[in-house]
Amino acid sequence: MSWLWAIIVGLVLGVIARAILPGKQDIPLWLTAVFGILGSILGNAVAGWIGVEDTKGIDWIRHLLQLAGAVAVVAGGDMAWQSFRGSRKQRT
């Protein structure tokens, strides 16, 4: 069941990250979920490195780090997706 939560949280974080980023991101929804999951993993890793991965109550710092990770991964992934799609369109 944890994989289902990872997909749901990844999708939510990816969509929020797309809303935060300026401009339009031309990545499909499934890739948004993948980037959100990767950003969440990145945020959890950073939270562990700085020692805030588990606190009493709601882990606001960890959640903000997950969102920041999702924003970074969505921004980088969107640029990579556009360069991949652009080079693919030029070949055909």
Side-chain angles (χ1 to χ4, degrees):
M1 195 64 155
S2 64
W3 60 270
L4 181 61
W5 279 113
I7 293 171
I8 292 170
V9 169
L11 179 61
V12 169
L13 284 175
V15 168
I16 292 171
R18 283 179 69 169
I20 290 173
L21 289 169
K24 184 175 186 227
Q25 292 78 39
D26 290 323
I27 55 175
L29 190 59
W30 66 269
L31 198 55
T32 301
V34 170
F35 289 159
I37 291 169
L38 293 175
S40 176
I41 292 170
L42 177 66
N44 278 335
V46 171
W49 294 334
I50 64 174
V52 294
E53 65 185 78
D54 190 28
T55 60
K56 293 183 188 242
I58 299 174
D59 297 332
W60 291 110
I61 295 172
R62 181 174 54 96
H63 296 315
L64 288 174
L65 288 170
Q66 288 175 334
L67 181 58
V71 168
V73 173
V74 167
D78 180 53
M79 288 188 288
W81 179 258
Q82 292 307 316
S83 67
F84 173 74
R85 297 293 288 179
S87 64
R88 191 172 186 186
K89 287 179 183 176
Q90 291 174 355
R91 286 188 219 156
T92 57

